[in-house]
Amino acid sequence: MKFNKLAVIFLSLSLCGCSKDYNIEPNKLPIAHIGKEYNQTLKITGGRVIPQSFEVKDNFPSDMNISIEPIDQNEADAYNNLKISGVPKHKGTFTINIYASFYAGGDGELDKTYEFVVKE
């Protein structure tokens, strides 16, 4: 009986230890302003992002003049460090969705949607 309880406890702790906590910071983006330079870095933690799985989707107008890119595409962890930059041309509330999966992460994923607010 004691062996069964120990086995259950051991398996529970083992499974909890394997789960990863993937985060992206900051949690909220600062407000942007039309015609003013915008620069914000994002940092993904908890594992190394697989570049082939990395996706960014936004609903910006085609001439918004804002880009979202890895800071240094030559580094192994480039997709863990992102930069949102440019000079916004349109006022409004837009969305930026960032999706990534991770090396040795099993089914671990990051799926974060930001609200990108541009004011005059």
Side-chain angles (χ1 to χ4, degrees):
M1 185 70 162
K2 277 187 175 183
F3 179 74
N4 287 341
K5 285 183 182 179
L6 284 174
V8 169
I9 291 170
F10 176 75
L11 286 174
S12 297
L13 290 174
S14 295
L15 291 174
C16 290
C18 290
S19 67
K20 294 276 188 171
D21 190 19
Y22 304 112
N23 291 309
I24 186 167
E25 294 290 331
N27 194 42
K28 186 177 176 182
L29 296 176
I31 293 173
H33 297 277
I34 291 177
K36 292 189 178 178
E37 185 71 32
Y38 186 87
N39 281 300
Q40 177 64 47
T41 57
L42 305 175
K43 183 162 181 71
I44 298 172
T45 59
R48 200 168 112 210
V49 174
I50 301 170
Q52 296 82 359
S53 75
F54 180 78
E55 271 186 65
V56 174
K57 294 182 181 178
D58 60 60
N59 64 346
F60 297 160
S62 60
D63 63 341
M64 183 63 159
N65 199 33
I66 293 290
S67 65
I68 305 153
E69 300 173 333
I71 290 176
D72 186 353
Q73 294 183 11
N74 297 325
E75 295 294 321
D77 62 349
Y79 288 84
N80 286 71
N81 300 292
L82 310 171
K83 182 172 145 181
I84 302 173
S85 62
V87 180
K89 292 185 176 183
H90 301 281
K91 174 175 108 169
T93 300
F94 307 95
T95 58
I96 299 171
N97 180 261
I98 298 173
Y99 172 83
S101 56
F102 299 85
Y103 287 109
D107 60 353
E109 299 175 341
L110 174 79
D111 192 356
K112 171 77 173 174
T113 301
Y114 283 105
E115 192 172 78
F116 185 74
V117 178
V118 181
K119 295 186 175 181
E120 286 192 42

